Amino acid sequence: MKIPVDRKYSETHEWFLLEDDTATMGITQYAADELTDITYVDLPEVGAKVSTGDAIAEVESVKATSEIFAAIPGTVTAVNTALTDHPELINDDAFDEGWMIKIKVDSNASLENLMTAKDYASFLRNSA
Amino acid sequence: MTTMMTERSKMILPDSAANGDCEVSANAAAAGNAAPMELRENKLLFEKGSPGLCGAALTESDVPKVRRESAIPRELLVDAPPALPELGELDVVRHYKSLAHKVFSIDENFYPLGSCTMKYNPRINERVAFMPGFAAIHPYQDEADLQGILELLYRLRTYLAEIAGLPEVTLQPAAGAHGELTALMIINAYHRSRGQNRHKVLAPDSAHGTNPASCTICGRDALSIKSKSNGRVDLDDLLAKVDEDTAALMITNPNTTGVFDETIADIAEIVHAKGAQLYLDGANMNAILGKTRPGDFGVDCMHYNTHKTFSTPHGGGGPGAGPVAVAEHLRPFLPVPQVVKRNDGSFGWDSDRPQSIGKVRSFFGQVGVLVRAYTYIRSLGCDGLRDVAEKAVLNANYLAARLKHKYPMPFPPPYAHEFITVPDFHDSGVTELDLAKRLIDYGIHPPTMSWPIHHCLMIEPTETESLATLDQFVEVMLTIADEVDRDPNLVKNAPHTMPVKRLDEVAASRKPNVRWKP
């Protein structure tokens, strides 16, 4: 499984890609594969304030419903509305087309406590 | 198709199953005969019948006719009568008989559904529940006329208290999850009585989904505690998370991975040291009936699932009962009214409990279900209930021991009343879902799947199955393992013997069509 090195990862299988002051987030391909076919995505309102650890979205598959957690504080600036009609985009391409939320991160917030791609890969190996 | 349905009633051995597959395709080919049959069976009542058909001949009414406009406000009147199906009695009987034959039940087939304790419901339960003194009474009748049922309810609550090792029980909650909610409300009321409002409720990551759901409904935050690699609670993680804002730890013991957590006394001590309460999800009481009592291992509060432990019917959303047992310090908060025995020996209701959380269910709970639980307890007696636990545990460990060479188990034995296997057929691409579907072809209900750990099957035979049935199940499981080696597609495309095969769950979820329209 390919794990992009340009971003950071949480233990709850979200990815965060920080560009300037905006973090794009989604769930990892591993999470998407484990959930199997995703049937519904509940996204936050644009403009919503989020704090680290908040459950800000929900992904529903034929197998399970999972909460999606923010790992960085900030304000939601965009959500991937294509997912409303095509939640399968997450299964098809979790790291790109299946992105979920863009967050304008609060100043001096960082992704330092998240895992690198290498750490996440070994995290997956150890938890499997 | 009808002939295929009857084959489910026994576990089919490999050869006959293969024949079954052929027959299905032969039937499909001979569409001339099979298709009309199938169409008739799959019709809804609304699609059957024809105008004017009727199941009963009613005599002319002797009540004077009233113009409907004079009795009902005009805006509530419709122009035409509702489009109800019109059928003769025989058509209706055949319709429901045909549906009944399609139902998969413990009365016909082995049902090793882990976590749900699908034990046989003895017929005596039904016989007693249908006795007129229990079935033909009304809660508004005078107490003096209800002494029989009141005595039964009083006795049942004392038996359940004895089994729990806790002093008092409420019979009001209408289901296990309702029992959880009731218990959490009691715990909240207890903390509030001490001037505290505690926000957190902890539960291990192997907990039933109802645990965090009950916390949320109760306005509390659910927090997950890690399990160790042997399936037990990670005490370090518990120590790190339990604090003065923790209302309770909800624990299932034996837990959903089928292991009894021997550190339960340590867990109780850790929880109590912070003033939090230890709550037991009683889903798995079947394994410890009469062997150990939750009150003796530090539990403050617990619920029973009468359908799992005391052989009342699994409702499919229908009536259940989730009695809650509490320790001495929680008694003042129990729901009212409580059934009591008065000094003169009569039975009645008592609502004098000022700190009570109030009523959680109309009238006195699901009385018909409680009668069945009472009957089960009385027909087995103390020794019989202990024997339930012994046989349930023995049966599970027997299956585990016979299956372990082909079906790897992540947690070491001994197990309680159920066990988990994570089948390793990755090279063939066969998943736990495929195995579950293939079991259907052999007339066995699939076990619980993919929970509480990824890619697992959770198997619980219960005490009600004979050695012969257990051996047949082992043979089927080993046969399927061989099939995976020989012909994985046979397993991947299962079931082959059912009127419907794999449903399109994705389409069903994404584009649900839940209402029939003419």
Side-chain angles (χ1 to χ4, degrees):
Chain A
M1 193 190 310
K2 264 179 31 202
I3 300 172
V5 296
D6 59 354
R7 58 197 82 187
K8 293 291 196 73
Y9 299 88
S10 69
E11 288 191 5
T12 44
H13 308 286
E14 290 93 0
W15 58 261
F16 297 84
L17 175 61
L18 190 61
E19 290 163 310
D20 302 327
D21 60 353
T22 297
T24 305
M25 70 174 286
I27 62 169
T28 66
Q29 196 65 49
Y30 169 82
D33 292 349
E34 284 293 314
L35 282 168
T36 69
D37 292 301
I38 291 165
T39 54
Y40 178 73
V41 182
D42 188 19
L43 295 167
E45 301 277 331
V46 171
K49 293 257 178 232
V50 301
S51 305
T52 304
D54 281 359
I56 59 170
E58 213 170 78
V59 172
E60 207 172 307
S61 75
V62 289
K63 201 159 140 188
T65 300
S66 290
E67 290 182 318
I68 307 302
F69 299 98
I72 194 162
T75 308
V76 175
T77 56
V79 296
N80 187 355
T81 49
L83 298 176
T84 311
D85 289 328
H86 298 286
E88 68 272 16
L89 287 174
I90 298 177
N91 293 109
D92 297 344
D93 189 3
F95 287 122
D96 189 7
E97 293 276 303
W99 72 272
M100 294 175 67
I101 301 161
K102 286 188 193 293
I103 297 169
K104 184 177 184 301
V105 301
D106 292 350
S107 51
N108 68 43
S110 83
L111 295 172
E112 280 311 301
N113 47 357
L114 294 176
M115 288 179 278
T116 62
K118 200 172 151 213
D119 293 342
Y120 181 63
S122 66
F123 170 74
L124 287 184
R125 270 195 303 278
N126 291 333
S127 59
Chain B
M1 276 313 158
T2 319
T3 53
M4 302 315 303
M5 299 301 299
T6 58
E7 293 213 15
R8 273 190 351 200
S9 57
K10 56 185 187 292
M11 294 181 200
I12 308 162
L13 291 178
D15 289 347
S16 57
N19 289 341
D21 297 345
C22 295
E23 265 185 64
V24 170
S25 36
N27 270 354
N33 282 335
M37 230 3 212
E38 200 179 336
L39 276 176
R40 198 180 68 193
E41 286 194 355
N42 288 336
K43 275 188 173 176
L44 301 173
L45 268 185
F46 283 85
E47 296 166 293
K48 294 179 177 177
S50 49
L53 265 181
C54 186
L58 298 176
T59 53
E60 194 63 29
S61 170
D62 57 0
V63 178
K65 284 190 177 160
V66 177
R67 277 176 54 79
R68 54 190 189 136
E69 287 80 1
S70 65
I72 300 170
R74 179 156 285 279
E75 65 270 22
L76 297 179
L77 286 172
V78 291
D79 297 327
L84 296 175
E86 296 178 78
L87 296 106
E89 180 175 327
L90 178 57
D91 297 325
V92 176
V93 168
R94 283 191 183 144
H95 178 79
Y96 284 106
K97 271 284 177 194
S98 151
L99 290 179
H101 284 304
K102 289 179 179 164
V103 171
F104 194 106
S105 79
I106 191 82
D107 286 349
E108 285 186 289
N109 297 84
F110 185 39
Y111 214 129
L113 192 66
S115 178
C116 285
T117 312
M118 296 295 292
K119 64 165 80 175
Y120 169 68
N121 301 164
R123 288 294 178 268
I124 190 174
N125 294 356
E126 298 304 311
R127 185 166 172 186
V128 172
F130 275 87
M131 286 164 71
F134 298 132
I137 52 175
H138 193 281
Y140 283 143
Q141 270 176 271
D142 196 88
E143 248 174 47
D145 296 339
L146 297 173
Q147 286 299 299
I149 185 69
L150 290 174
E151 180 171 359
L152 179 146
L153 295 175
Y154 176 78
R155 286 194 194 188
L156 177 62
R157 84 165 168 88
T158 56
Y159 299 160
L160 293 177
E162 171 69 26
I163 293 166
L166 292 165
E168 194 170 347
V169 164
T170 173
L171 301 174
Q172 273 190 33
H178 191 202
E180 290 178 26
L181 178 63
T182 303
L184 288 173
M185 289 165 70
I186 291 170
I187 288 170
N188 278 347
Y190 164 76
H191 289 308
R192 272 200 302 271
S193 76
R194 295 155 56 90
Q196 297 174 350
N197 189 16
R198 295 179 172 225
H199 295 92
K200 282 165 41 178
V201 174
L202 312 177
D205 52 17
S206 61
H208 292 101
T210 47
N211 291 179
S214 298
C215 298
T216 305
I217 298 278
C218 204
R220 294 293 174 265
D221 298 325
L223 250 83
S224 183
I225 304 288
K226 284 183 195 144
S227 296
K228 291 191 294 187
S229 58
N230 64 3
R232 274 76 168 170
V233 169
D234 183 337
L235 294 184
D236 292 332
D237 197 43
L238 175 63
L239 273 167
K241 285 177 183 159
V242 67
D243 59 15
E244 271 78 18
D245 194 32
T246 305
L249 169 68
M250 302 179 86
I251 196 165
T252 311
N253 200 20
N255 67 23
T256 56
T257 66
V259 297
F260 185 84
D261 199 327
E262 312 85 349
T263 61
I264 187 69
D266 300 326
I267 292 170
E269 203 176 303
I270 292 169
V271 169
H272 289 151
K274 299 289 180 185
Q277 300 291 290
L278 184 60
Y279 176 78
L280 181 90
D281 178 327
N284 294 338
M285 282 300 288
N286 215 40
I288 59 173
L289 276 178
K291 289 303 205 178
T292 180
R293 305 191 306 172
D296 297 340
F297 56 69
V299 166
D300 300 294
C301 193
M302 67 166 286
H303 82 264
Y304 289 100
N305 298 94
T306 60
H307 62 287
K308 294 179 184 178
T309 312
F310 301 110
S311 81
T312 65
H314 278 63
V324 168
V326 299
E328 194 62 43
H329 60 283
L330 298 178
R331 289 177 77 173
F333 311 99
L334 278 171
V336 287
Q338 176 65 295
V339 60
V340 291
K341 185 175 185 178
R342 302 216 172 89
N343 290 334
D344 64 1
S346 69
F347 298 89
W349 296 106
D350 176 33
S351 292
D352 183 20
R353 206 176 290 231
Q355 289 179 283
S356 164
I357 59 165
K359 215 169 159 82
V360 297
R361 176 69 168 76
S362 55
F363 299 116
F364 321 128
Q366 306 275 23
V367 169
V369 172
L370 297 170
V371 171
R372 290 168 172 89
Y374 174 86
T375 307
Y376 181 78
I377 291 172
R378 288 306 300 262
S379 54
L380 285 171
C382 294
D383 292 341
L385 289 177
R386 200 170 287 124
D387 201 38
V388 163
E390 287 175 7
K391 296 291 182 339
V393 170
L394 180 63
N395 285 359
N397 282 279
Y398 175 75
L399 284 186
R402 289 209 53 199
L403 290 172
K404 67 181 177 192
H405 299 299
K406 286 284 181 180
Y407 290 90
M409 289 158 204
F411 306 114
Y415 304 107
H417 59 302
E418 64 192 3
F419 61 92
I420 280 175
T421 165
V422 181
D424 183 12
F425 297 125
H426 298 320
D427 294 343
S428 64
V430 169
T431 66
E432 76 276 19
L433 177 71
D434 303 321
L435 298 170
K437 297 285 188 193
R438 185 58 179 150
L439 277 169
I440 297 172
D441 283 334
Y442 288 95
I444 297 169
H445 193 285
T448 297
M449 260 181 22
S450 317
W451 181 85
I453 56 174
H454 290 314
H455 306 300
C456 75
L457 293 175
M458 192 205 294
I459 296 169
E460 178 180 4
T462 83
E463 74 285 1
T464 53
E465 299 298 339
S466 67
L467 180 59
T469 303
L470 300 181
D471 284 339
Q472 278 179 300
F473 176 67
V474 168
E475 199 176 331
V476 167
M477 289 292 282
L478 298 179
T479 301
I480 294 175
D482 283 345
E483 288 173 349
V484 173
D485 290 339
R486 257 191 2 252
D487 183 9
N489 283 331
L490 177 67
V491 180
K492 282 191 213 173
N493 296 322
H496 301 276
T497 58
M498 290 288 111
V500 284
K501 307 291 186 282
R502 297 219 181 182
L503 303 175
D504 188 347
E505 292 177 56
V506 179
S509 303
R510 285 185 188 157
K511 295 189 172 59
N513 177 8
V514 294
R515 193 181 153 203
W516 180 83
K517 285 183 199 149

